């Protein structure tokens, strides 16, 4: 099995980050597989995304519904459900939306990521731009 052999030869990391990579929901499976294969046990996968992808159609969907871009909530629920499946070994930790006021995160990683984002001095993207786009950061931990 090529995937098993290649994953055993990969370096392992404590944290894997992916930013703005889900333009097509079909890229989610290889993204989750690769992130899981690169992580140590208890390592973190941080996925920053802007909802652009369409969800795959279900048996109840009209053919045209799969062409519409999913809402942020729909896409995040789908990503969390897929990442949490046994084949990737991820546990969902939290979602960070930097434009929302959250004084107390449940864990130190979320606080650290949030403070690093807020310390960036970028004139290219404002918090309002991020909010308008539905940007979010999903954090998972490998079992």
């Amino acid at each position: 099995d090529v995937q098993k052999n290649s994953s055993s030869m990969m370096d392992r990391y404590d944290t894997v980050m992916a930013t703005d990579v889900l333009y097509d929901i079909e890229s989610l499976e290889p993204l989750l597989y690769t992130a899981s294969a690169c992580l140590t046990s208890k390592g973190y996968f941080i996925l920053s995304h802007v909802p652009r992808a369409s969800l795959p159609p279900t048996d109840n969907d009209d053919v045209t519904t799969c062409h519409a871009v999913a809402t942020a909530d729909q896409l995040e629920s789908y990503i969390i459900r897929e990442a949490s499946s046994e084949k990737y070994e991820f546990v969902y930790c939290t979602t960070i939306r930097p434009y929302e006021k959250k004084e107390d995160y449940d864990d130190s990683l979320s606080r650290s990521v949030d403070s690093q984002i807020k310390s960036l001095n970028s004139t290219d993207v404002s918090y309002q731009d991020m909010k308008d786009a539905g940007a979010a950061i999903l954090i998972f931990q490998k079992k």
Side-chain angles (χ1 to χ4, degrees):
D1 185 8
V2 172
Q3 287 184 336
K4 282 185 181 177
N5 290 336
S6 65
S7 70
S8 66
M9 293 185 289
M10 282 188 207
D11 288 332
R12 304 271 187 207
Y13 301 94
D14 294 331
T15 304
V16 171
M17 295 181 68
T19 61
D20 202 16
V21 294
L22 286 176
Y23 291 89
D24 183 345
I25 199 64
E26 290 182 11
S27 64
L28 181 62
E29 183 175 352
L31 173 66
L32 293 173
Y33 173 81
T34 303
S36 180
C38 290
L39 280 169
T40 60
S41 178
K42 305 293 182 192
Y44 288 98
F45 175 46
I46 301 172
L47 174 61
S48 170
H49 80 101
V50 173
R52 294 186 181 94
S54 300
L55 293 175
T58 65
D59 293 337
N60 298 330
D61 287 336
D62 181 311
V63 175
T64 59
T65 59
C66 66
H67 298 292
V69 174
T71 67
D73 288 341
Q74 291 170 326
L75 189 58
E76 287 170 19
S77 294
Y78 182 78
I79 292 168
I80 292 167
R81 186 172 56 252
E82 290 299 306
S84 300
S85 70
E86 285 300 313
K87 64 182 171 181
Y88 303 117
E89 301 179 331
F90 286 121
V91 175
Y92 169 71
C93 297
T94 193
T95 299
I96 297 173
R97 291 181 179 80
Y99 46 83
E100 291 180 352
K101 299 267 190 222
K102 283 196 174 180
E103 301 302 324
D104 298 312
Y105 283 104
D106 294 339
D107 60 276
S108 60
L109 178 67
S110 298
R111 286 191 300 274
S112 175
V113 170
D114 186 60
S115 66
Q116 289 176 26
I117 292 166
K118 289 181 178 175
S119 71
L120 297 175
N121 292 321
S122 173
T123 56
D124 294 336
V125 179
S126 70
Y127 286 146
Q128 188 60 48
D129 292 335
M130 294 174 77
K131 182 176 183 177
D132 292 347
I137 300 165
L138 304 175
I139 300 177
F140 300 91
Q141 187 174 33
K142 187 170 179 179
K143 294 180 184 175

